[in-house]
């Protein structure tokens, strides 16, 4: 058997070298109870250079890992020796079927009946952490169709999901958490971003994270929990309740994306009160300050125009949020996270708890007061929550 495996590995190696390798499917697992049912291997080219991309297929999800060709050949050889009975190799000219039964094994070869071109698809892997192919929750959430393709009306959502995960990657990947990662997603809605976040931790980083979505709409909570179960996402849960009062597990990261109007303030206040190490918010519909804005100074020349009043109100609301976070010991950054053509709700507030206790809380509170005086504002909702 070892000789046949060696012969098969040489065929694979030859085809990788000649760029004729189309696909290798390893199947018929000896241990039928194992969760990985088969492995599909493709030859790809990414920034790192040529790689063999292994897609480990589970019942309801796929996990992808890339290996350098030499390492991949060793791995394939081991898999055929110990774990699997079959492998089908498609190349541009021939199809090879490798089999083992007990101690016997063989290789059948036939001329391929299809015209296949090898594509070392550079574009496909470009900066996409969340892949649509074989991604069960994206299909269940209606982002992809039955062929795993992004639906035309979901292109923006898909782009937004990946952009958001890219940003989270930059913030959380190497964050020196004091304890294991536990994240709450306040106002999780349909859960697009909550699922993607779980997928990112479990499958991309391969790091344990407990993730809890909080949502007041019971039907969405029920649906999200069902999908999480189908995907075998064991540490992903959704609970029905309000941002202000939901009984969440302890957490060190709080996320609130597009939580409407003052729900963003409720989320920030919860994060501060629970001493979250990281708070990430993408606010939306800033209604609370707008009716209060009545400057008795030159700013009235700006706020007399509806659209400019709207923009001032947004800027002021988020500035005060940022200052409140600073006043409570968070280093805060506010930036645009996706182009406005994909969504108008595109500002992100990211706050990370400072290691040293803050000396100048009074300074930030004075800045808030100065802004309020300038715009003629009585109260900011977040300020009241943190009194
Ligand atoms: C615009 S959706 C955003 C969903 C998701 N975070 C996203 O970005 O795709 C806002 C969600 O927050 C929920 N929500 C708003 N206020 C809430 C509150 N006080 N408590 C719990 N959920 C809330 C709404 O029901 C809605 O599903």
């Amino acid at each position: 058997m070892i000789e046949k495996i060696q012969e098969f590995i040489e065929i694979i190696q030859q085809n990788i070298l000649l760029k004729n390798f189309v696909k290798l499917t390893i199947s018929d697992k000896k241990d039928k109870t194992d969760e990985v049912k088969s492995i599909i291997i493709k030859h790809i080219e990414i920034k790192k250079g040529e790689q063999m991309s292994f897609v480990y297929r589970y019942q309801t999800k796929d996990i992808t890992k890339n290996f350098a060709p030499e390492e991949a050949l060793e791995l394939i050889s081991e898999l055929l020796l110990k774990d699997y009975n079959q492998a089908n190799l498609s190349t541009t000219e021939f199809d090879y079927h490798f089999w083992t039964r007990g101690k016997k094994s063989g290789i059948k070869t036939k001329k391929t009946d299809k015209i296949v071109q090898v594509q070392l698809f550079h574009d496909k892997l470009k900066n996409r952490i969340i892949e649509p192919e074989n991604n069960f929750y994206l299909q269940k959430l209606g982002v992809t169709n039955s062929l795993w393709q992004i639906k035309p009306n979901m292109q923006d959502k898909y782009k937004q999901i990946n952009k958001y995960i890219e940003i989270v990657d930059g913030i959380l990947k190497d964050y020196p958490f004091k304890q294991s990662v536990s994240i709450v997603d306040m106002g999780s809605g349909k859960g697009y971003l909550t699922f993607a976040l779980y997928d990112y931790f479990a499958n991309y980083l391969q790091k344990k994270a407990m993730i809890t979505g909080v949502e007041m709409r019971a039907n969405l909570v029920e649906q999200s929990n069902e999908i999480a179960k189908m995907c075998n996402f064991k540490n992903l849960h959704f609970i029905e309740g309000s941002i202000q009062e939901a009984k969440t597990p302890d957490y060190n990261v709080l996320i609130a994306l597009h939580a409407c109007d003052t729900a963003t303030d409720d989320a920030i206040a919860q994060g501060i009160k629970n001493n979250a190490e990281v708070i990430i918010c993408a606010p939306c519909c800033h209604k609370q300050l707008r009716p209060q804005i009545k400057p008795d100074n030159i700013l009235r020349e700006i706020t007399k125009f509806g659209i400019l009043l709207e923009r001032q109100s947004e800027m002021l609301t988020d500035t005060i949020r940022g200052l409140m976070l600073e006043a409570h010991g968070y280093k805060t950054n506010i930036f645009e996270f996706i182009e406005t053509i994909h969504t108008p709700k595109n500002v992100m507030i990211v706050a990370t708890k400072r290691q040293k206790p803050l000396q100048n809380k009074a300074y930030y509170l004075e800045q808030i007061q100065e802004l309020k005086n300038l715009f003629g504002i009585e109260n900011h909702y977040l300020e009241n929550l943190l009194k």
Side-chain angles (χ1 to χ4, degrees):
M1 180 164 81
I2 293 177
E3 290 79 34
K4 276 286 164 214
I5 292 178
Q6 192 51 39
E7 187 184 331
F8 190 57
I9 294 291
E10 278 165 21
I11 296 171
I12 297 172
Q13 187 173 30
Q14 188 75 358
N15 280 286
I16 292 175
L17 279 175
L18 297 174
K19 305 250 188 298
N20 288 342
F21 182 105
V22 176
K23 182 168 87 169
L24 175 66
T25 305
I26 302 180
S27 58
D28 193 6
K29 187 124 196 184
K30 293 183 204 288
D31 175 1
K32 301 290 177 220
T33 62
D34 196 281
E35 287 192 355
V36 183
K37 302 298 173 206
S38 62
I39 305 170
I40 297 171
I41 301 165
K42 288 189 175 167
H43 186 196
I44 59 168
E45 193 169 316
I46 53 178
K47 259 193 201 154
K48 263 188 187 173
E50 284 185 38
Q51 297 273 294
M52 304 308 288
S53 166
F54 284 49
V55 177
Y56 293 82
R57 306 205 68 176
Y58 291 69
Q59 196 89 33
T60 54
K61 65 174 179 190
D62 287 349
I63 293 182
T64 305
K65 290 184 190 166
N66 296 336
F67 301 95
E70 278 312 309
E71 200 184 349
L73 290 171
E74 270 178 37
L75 200 55
I76 295 165
S77 165
E78 205 158 298
L79 289 166
L80 296 180
L81 191 61
K82 294 187 190 149
D83 300 326
Y84 289 87
N85 291 320
Q86 281 198 55
N88 290 298
L89 171 67
S90 312
T91 74
T92 46
E93 290 178 28
F94 294 97
D95 289 338
Y96 300 89
H97 173 70
F98 170 88
W99 58 269
T100 57
R101 209 155 296 127
K103 287 189 176 146
K104 286 189 176 168
S105 57
I107 300 171
K108 271 192 217 156
T109 307
K110 74 173 177 98
K111 188 114 184 76
T112 183
D113 46 13
K114 291 175 245 130
I115 300 171
V116 221
Q117 278 195 336
V118 177
Q119 247 191 320
L120 300 185
F121 39 82
H122 312 239
D123 295 344
K124 201 166 170 292
L125 291 186
K126 198 173 76 186
N127 290 336
R128 284 203 316 213
I129 296 178
I130 304 298
E131 286 287 342
E133 242 177 47
N134 305 309
N135 201 332
F136 192 68
Y137 67 86
L138 282 182
Q139 197 176 68
K140 281 280 153 195
L141 292 172
V143 177
T144 53
N145 62 20
S146 57
L147 299 172
W148 310 107
Q149 293 153 338
I150 312 290
K151 292 182 183 170
N153 61 344
M154 283 303 212
Q155 295 288 347
D156 281 351
K157 181 52 89 184
Y158 178 64
K159 193 162 178 162
Q160 185 196 37
I161 291 171
N162 268 292
K163 189 70 201 170
Y164 154 75
I165 293 295
E166 249 178 62
I167 290 170
V168 168
D169 182 54
I171 304 164
L172 299 185
K173 190 165 80 184
D174 299 317
Y175 193 87
F177 288 108
K178 295 186 188 121
Q179 275 138 16
S180 60
V181 184
S182 171
I183 303 177
V184 287
D185 182 7
M186 297 295 201
S188 48
K190 270 191 93 174
Y192 299 109
L193 304 172
T194 334
F195 275 94
L197 189 66
Y198 188 87
D199 187 10
Y200 161 75
F201 268 97
N203 298 326
Y204 184 81
L205 286 188
Q206 300 190 359
K207 205 168 165 180
K208 193 174 168 200
M210 165 130 97
I211 300 187
T212 310
V214 173
E215 170 55 52
M216 62 186 181
R217 289 188 280 171
N219 59 329
L220 295 184
V221 171
E222 196 184 327
Q223 177 189 302
S224 304
N225 277 327
E226 259 170 39
I227 300 174
K229 210 165 167 191
M230 284 177 200
C231 292
N232 204 19
F233 286 177
K234 290 195 175 113
N235 291 314
L236 174 63
H237 304 281
F238 294 83
I239 54 178
E240 185 191 336
S242 73
I243 294 173
Q244 303 89 315
E245 285 170 4
K247 299 254 172 303
T248 60
D250 286 343
Y251 54 86
N252 36 25
V253 180
L254 178 138
I255 292 181
L257 301 167
H258 314 131
C260 328
D261 196 18
T262 51
T264 295
D265 299 304
D266 289 318
I268 294 176
Q270 285 305 317
I272 292 176
K273 287 178 188 165
N274 284 282
N275 216 13
E277 288 175 65
V278 182
I279 297 176
I280 302 174
C281 294
C284 87
C285 45
H286 306 64
K287 294 195 191 120
Q288 194 247 330
L289 288 189
R290 194 183 150 142
Q292 294 184 51
I293 297 181
K294 288 187 183 71
D296 62 358
N297 52 48
I298 190 65
L299 285 176
R300 82 178 80 81
E301 292 304 321
I302 298 178
T303 56
K304 70 183 180 193
F305 301 107
I307 179 66
L308 301 183
L309 170 63
E310 181 79 39
R311 289 188 186 162
Q312 284 296 314
S313 165
E314 282 181 25
M315 282 168 65
L316 193 58
T317 306
D318 290 335
T319 305
I320 295 181
R321 285 170 175 158
L323 288 167
M324 281 307 277
L325 281 157
E326 289 282 356
H328 285 83
Y330 287 83
K331 184 176 182 311
T332 307
N333 197 4
I334 301 182
F335 54 91
E336 198 170 76
F337 83 110
I338 195 159
E339 300 91 316
T340 0
I341 49 161
H342 299 294
T343 169
K345 305 170 197 167
N346 62 350
V347 164
M348 196 166 252
I349 303 176
V350 175
T352 49
K353 187 95 189 167
R354 290 183 197 275
Q355 300 299 323
K356 289 189 189 146
L358 191 74
Q359 308 292 332
N360 51 352
K361 181 171 183 175
Y363 165 80
Y364 292 108
L365 298 180
E366 274 162 30
Q367 300 306 301
I368 293 173
Q369 194 53 52
E370 213 172 298
L371 279 170
K372 280 166 60 186
N373 293 345
L374 189 66
F375 284 89
I377 288 163
E378 284 295 314
N379 69 82
H380 185 291
Y381 184 80
L382 178 58
E383 230 187 341
N384 297 342
L385 292 175
L386 293 170
K387 265 186 186 151

